[in-house]
Amino acid sequence: MPPEEKAPIDLLDLKLLPAWVKETPDAKAYEHYQGETEERGRDQRDRNRRPPSTDRRPPRPEGRDRGPRRPQDRHRRPSGPDKDRQRPREDRPRAPEKPPLDIPIRFVPQTNAFENVAAQIKGDMLAYSLFSLARLFLQKAERYDVHLAAKPETPLYQLGEKGAISADKQFLENNAFRFAEKDFYKIDISQSDPIKGNFTAVARERVTGTILGPTNYHDYQRKLRGLFEQRFSRRMNFQEFQRQIEIVNDAELVEKWKQDAQTVTTFTTLREETPQSFTSATEAEKHFRQNYLPNVVRTIEETMIDGVTSRNLPDRALRSAIENAWTAQTRSPSQMMAELSNRLREAGLHIFRHRKGMLFVSPVRVRPFAHEEAGVSAQVRAIVETIAANPRTNRKDFAEKVLVDLSGEELEARKLSLASDLKWLISEGYVIEFNDGSLDLPRAKKQAPAPIEAGVSPAENAATPQSETPAADTAAATEEPAATTEDSEPAEIGGS
């Protein structure tokens, strides 16, 4: 099913806070808690210090005549078939819980949402955290699709080509008519003449609340049988079902039954040369099971559904498995990050590592600045050196450190020149501007340890410089998960 058209994703939210710390605030479960009052706390402490009571009643002598039981006591200890019905809920035997479904579930960015995000990233020269982008897609169901794959021990079934999906074939067959009735029948609803007669009570099924009408109405038996065949025949026999019927003396329910009884629903076949019509859902479902059901349920190897549909699947076990997978991905969206990484590269964007090995995406390929390059102005060198000495600084603080002891026209001219040089450095990848407005330098390429030369002392070998990593990024480099990764080369998700 194609997802409904929704508002496109706006990356403005990621620009308000640092992407690597932006989290969805948790609900404050105790925000209204005022604490324990002093008086209440004192009473509780006194109660805890009170010695245990020694006033105990003596045991009842054996064989003592307790006297005749009161009439109402006869209903307190039921026996026989009704014993379990009267047993407290916590003492009743519980049905064994089914293990969760074990099927591969993969979340992928929704195509329209991804194209919108890629276009926004290409529209400026900012770097975005891949972790935050993955969570942004998982935040709303309209932004992702869900890929399901079957396993030999956990097959998947579907009604037709685009119908309901389930891991339980029996469940799908039992509810096939309800899920696919509009695909096989034309449903017409009309109003008949008002119900005549004086009725004071109606029969109602307790579990579903279905009103069947007065027991002396001519259509009562047909509706009773129809409800049993449609909802309960696979779980119990007809005698057990009849015990669930109650008689209710309620004028409002009688009036509601009269209004519902005036509504006539007609089911007309859509896939037969000579259309057939049925005046009840029971007759239409019987026709459906005889003619369509054997060929409508099919086994599938894999399928892709949109996020909104995944949250409304009729199969509770499959829906719960998707929900659990989504919760795990929200905590650690490594799988969604891998999907985004591949698609962003295909869209012409660059993935790189920075800040303790975290992954970022940018339209610019970052690379270390070579100070020895000829033709580099003193102001460009000053920009790079200032950012190296003050990593993660913003534009305002950066300008205050560079533009000192200037005023008037000279200050305005230097501002324009500084902005032009900084833009050039960012566009060339020598300086990274992140989505929160901070500036930083790419980490330098790390070199492999040099081989120990023969005849040279270990102290001299240890004194030989082995890395070109700037001092400002040394702490981050030591905590990087993949120490051999180059920031100027595409980074892989597996190391994060």
Side-chain angles (χ1 to χ4, degrees):
M1 301 179 182
E4 299 179 2
E5 293 295 333
K6 301 292 181 179
I9 301 178
D10 192 351
L11 296 183
L12 180 62
D13 290 343
L14 294 183
K15 298 179 183 179
L16 301 180
L17 288 175
W20 54 92
V21 300
K22 186 172 178 61
E23 300 283 351
T24 304
D26 295 330
K28 298 181 180 179
Y30 302 98
E31 60 181 348
H32 301 299
Y33 180 64
Q34 300 296 331
E36 193 177 59
T37 62
E38 182 180 357
E39 182 179 355
R40 181 180 178 183
R42 189 185 305 112
D43 293 344
Q44 182 64 33
R45 290 191 295 271
D46 293 342
R47 192 179 301 112
N48 293 337
R49 289 195 297 266
R50 187 177 303 167
S53 174
T54 58
D55 182 17
R56 299 180 180 273
R57 295 184 179 181
R60 187 185 299 271
E62 295 184 5
R64 179 178 176 180
D65 185 11
R66 302 182 181 180
R69 296 177 60 185
R70 289 175 295 179
Q72 57 269 29
D73 290 342
R74 287 195 294 267
H75 302 286
R76 295 183 180 179
R77 297 181 181 179
S79 59
D82 295 333
K83 186 175 182 180
D84 291 338
R85 186 178 303 173
Q86 299 295 334
R87 186 184 299 175
R89 183 178 300 273
E90 60 273 11
D91 295 338
R92 296 178 188 175
R94 297 181 179 179
E97 296 183 359
K98 295 182 178 180
L101 292 178
D102 181 20
I103 59 174
I105 300 175
R106 188 161 50 91
F107 297 89
V108 299
Q110 200 273 335
T111 302
N112 294 336
F114 173 81
E115 292 177 353
N116 172 261
V117 168
Q120 292 186 61
I121 296 176
K122 292 179 179 180
D124 51 33
M125 293 182 290
L126 301 178
Y128 291 87
S129 164
L130 201 62
F131 180 89
S132 295
L133 287 176
R135 279 193 165 182
L136 187 67
F137 277 91
L138 291 168
Q139 187 177 13
K140 293 186 178 181
E142 298 85 357
R143 299 174 181 174
Y144 63 82
D145 295 329
V146 182
H147 179 271
L148 304 175
K151 299 176 67 175
E153 61 274 13
T154 312
L156 291 175
Y157 306 95
Q158 186 174 23
L159 284 178
E161 296 293 332
K162 300 180 180 180
I165 300 171
S166 175
D168 186 348
K169 185 177 182 180
Q170 186 65 39
F171 168 82
L172 208 57
E173 291 178 347
N174 293 345
N175 297 274
F177 176 73
R178 182 164 56 93
F179 296 153
E181 58 182 357
K182 294 182 179 179
D183 297 331
F184 294 87
Y185 300 91
K186 177 185 178 183
I187 303 175
D188 297 318
I189 300 176
S190 59
Q191 297 293 323
S192 63
D193 297 334
I195 302 297
K196 297 180 181 180
N198 185 19
F199 302 99
T200 59
V202 291
R204 180 176 61 184
E205 199 278 319
R206 291 191 183 95
V207 177
T208 61
T210 304
I211 301 174
L212 301 172
T215 55
N216 58 345
Y217 188 64
H218 68 86
D219 200 36
Y220 171 75
Q221 289 296 333
R222 185 187 66 84
K223 294 193 68 174
L224 181 68
R225 280 286 180 180
L227 179 62
F228 170 72
E229 294 292 341
Q230 189 174 9
R231 303 291 299 274
F232 298 94
S233 61
R234 303 167 190 89
R235 289 184 279 173
M236 61 183 68
N237 57 43
F238 188 68
Q239 286 74 21
E240 293 176 338
F241 168 70
Q242 283 183 308
R243 297 192 189 103
Q244 299 181 178
I245 307 300
E246 60 181 352
I247 305 301
V248 183
N249 295 303
D250 190 332
E252 293 184 0
L253 287 180
V254 173
E255 187 61 30
K256 184 179 184 302
W257 164 75
K258 288 183 178 181
Q259 294 177 1
D260 294 343
Q262 290 181 237
T263 304
V264 178
T265 304
T266 304
F267 297 82
T268 306
T269 56
L270 296 173
R271 304 190 178 189
E272 296 182 0
E273 296 181 0
T274 304
Q276 301 184 47
S277 296
F278 306 94
T279 57
S280 69
T282 304
E283 296 176 357
E285 182 175 1
K286 183 178 179 180
H287 177 271
F288 173 83
R289 289 183 171 278
Q290 293 176 349
N291 296 272
Y292 304 124
L293 182 59
N295 300 321
V296 76
V297 178
R298 65 188 186 98
T299 304
I300 57 176
E301 297 295 332
E302 60 181 0
T303 185
M304 184 82 73
I305 58 177
D306 61 88
V308 177
T309 301
S310 70
R311 295 188 177 185
N312 298 278
L313 290 176
D315 186 344
R316 294 182 180 180
L318 185 57
R319 187 173 70 241
S320 177
I322 296 176
E323 181 180 355
N324 293 338
W326 178 86
T327 302
Q329 275 297 301
T330 303
R331 296 195 195 100
S332 179
S334 58
Q335 180 265 318
M336 175 62 83
M337 291 172 64
E339 294 286 345
L340 284 174
S341 177
N342 294 332
R343 294 197 182 189
L344 290 170
R345 286 194 180 99
E346 293 175 358
L349 298 170
H350 302 280
I351 308 295
F352 65 95
R353 291 188 182 276
H354 198 72
R355 294 177 182 172
K356 300 182 181 180
M358 296 182 66
L359 293 169
F360 293 84
V361 57
S362 172
V364 180
R365 186 183 184 91
V366 299
R367 48 183 173 167
F369 180 76
H371 292 268
E372 64 276 5
E373 288 186 5
V376 177
S377 66
Q379 180 169 271
V380 170
R381 294 179 182 272
I383 292 174
V384 175
E385 292 173 358
T386 301
I387 296 178
N390 303 275
R392 306 182 186 181
T393 186
N394 55 40
R395 284 177 177 260
K396 181 180 178 181
D397 295 339
F398 164 75
E400 291 176 354
K401 290 180 175 60
V402 176
L403 303 176
V404 293
D405 300 331
L406 297 176
S407 61
E409 295 182 357
E410 183 181 4
L411 177 61
E412 294 301 323
R414 285 290 303 277
K415 281 185 177 180
L416 294 176
S417 176
L418 183 66
S420 177
D421 290 341
L422 181 60
K423 182 178 180 181
W424 176 79
L425 286 170
I426 294 174
S427 65
E428 292 297 321
Y430 297 131
V431 173
I432 306 172
E433 183 174 15
F434 295 93
N435 57 289
D436 66 331
S438 63
L439 301 172
D440 211 344
L441 297 181
R443 294 184 299 178
K445 178 181 178 181
K446 293 187 177 182
Q447 297 178 348
I452 299 177
E453 298 181 7
V456 180
S457 65
E460 294 176 347
N461 278 285
T464 305
Q466 303 295 338
S467 175
E468 299 178 1
T469 304
D473 199 39
T474 302
T478 58
E479 298 181 23
E480 179 184 350
T484 59
T485 303
E486 293 184 25
D487 288 312
S488 58
E489 295 298 329
E492 298 296 334
I493 296 293
S496 61

